[in-house]
Amino acid sequence: MSSPPDSAAEPNPRPPYLLWAALALASALVVALGWQVMQLREGQRWLVERVDRPYVGMFVPKVAATALDGRALSLGQPQGRRQVLFFFNTTCPHCRASLPQLKLAARELRRHDGVELIGVAFARPEQAAAYAREHALEFPLAAVDDDRRTLALFRARRLPSLLVIDGDGRVRYQRVGELNGKTPLHELLRAAAEAPAPARPDSNPTASNPTAMASR
């Protein structure tokens, strides 16, 4: 009696290491794609902040303004070593809450030569003058009303905004938001009162002394 024919041979399954390699490759691709998306979002956030907020190292322009008492002011161009600009409006609650610390800073800064503090109010002159009387502000104020150009040039779209500007027109310190607590006050005073960095001496003394080189 003959034996029944063998059934059709089943195909060999793929080796398991190929499956694991495919899964590992897919996982790596997902991780790489996620990293790229994260980098793109970080880049977008960086660009938005550069357009929307001031930043340390940013150069600001020189903008002519008039103080409430009629004096000519130059925003962004210190008369001495440093200029501190406080951008605010008269209805902003965070601006109002910042005034006690700002007044402390103003008293401290008066002890340092070459440092000026100027308040820049996005309000009409009469509104700014009434605000200054109400809160006993003793530093110069300029009222720029609804001046979108000044707002954009100094990135003062969010109020209050505080800038410390050096003699080259570069931002040395910035703070957006309410000024409260000792740490922001100390940071402001340190940035406003620090002396400019001294010029680095030439490491090769003969490079600036041609006679010394000629005598060799």
Side-chain angles (χ1 to χ4, degrees):
M1 185 174 180
S2 61
S3 60
D6 295 337
S7 58
E10 295 183 357
N12 292 329
R14 293 181 178 178
Y17 67 84
L18 292 179
L19 179 60
W20 287 113
L23 288 175
L25 178 60
S27 300
L29 289 174
V30 169
V31 170
L33 181 60
W35 183 84
Q36 289 182 344
V37 170
M38 184 179 66
Q39 291 297 108
L40 286 173
R41 288 178 178 174
E42 288 295 325
Q44 289 175 344
R45 187 180 298 113
W46 184 86
L47 288 174
V48 168
E49 289 183 352
R50 283 295 187 265
V51 172
D52 191 54
R53 299 166 64 98
Y55 55 91
V56 173
M58 178 181 80
F59 283 99
V60 297
K62 176 181 177 181
V63 176
T66 303
L68 296 180
D69 61 5
R71 284 183 293 162
L73 299 175
S74 182
L75 308 181
Q77 183 63 51
Q79 298 299 312
R81 295 185 293 108
R82 296 284 190 273
Q83 183 181 78
V84 181
L85 298 179
F86 178 69
F87 295 91
F88 70 101
N89 66 33
T90 57
T91 60
C92 165
H94 298 292
C95 302
R96 185 184 299 267
S98 299
L99 294 181
Q101 291 288 72
L102 189 68
K103 292 163 71 173
L104 284 176
R107 287 197 290 269
E108 289 293 327
L109 292 175
R110 280 196 290 269
R111 302 179 183 178
H112 300 276
D113 294 332
V115 181
E116 57 182 343
L117 169 62
I118 300 174
V120 184
F122 291 99
R124 295 192 301 273
E126 60 272 19
Q127 292 175 321
Y131 193 83
R133 289 193 300 271
E134 178 186 356
H135 298 286
L137 302 183
E138 299 178 351
F139 47 86
L141 287 181
V144 295
D145 200 2
D146 194 21
D147 186 351
R148 299 292 177 181
R149 174 176 173 270
T150 299
L151 181 146
L153 290 174
F154 289 92
R155 307 284 204 277
R157 293 180 174 87
R158 302 180 185 181
L159 301 177
S161 182
L162 190 69
L163 301 180
V164 176
I165 302 167
D166 66 14
D168 296 325
R170 185 191 292 266
V171 174
R172 300 297 298 261
Y173 173 81
Q174 66 83 25
R175 181 177 177 84
V176 176
E178 186 175 318
L179 183 65
N180 55 20
K182 293 183 179 181
T183 299
L185 178 62
H186 291 163
E187 292 174 348
L188 165 62
L189 294 174
R190 183 169 59 250
E194 67 180 354
R200 295 180 61 185
D202 197 325
S203 58
N204 182 4
T206 61
S208 58
N209 188 353
T211 58
M213 295 183 67
S215 63
R216 290 188 174 184

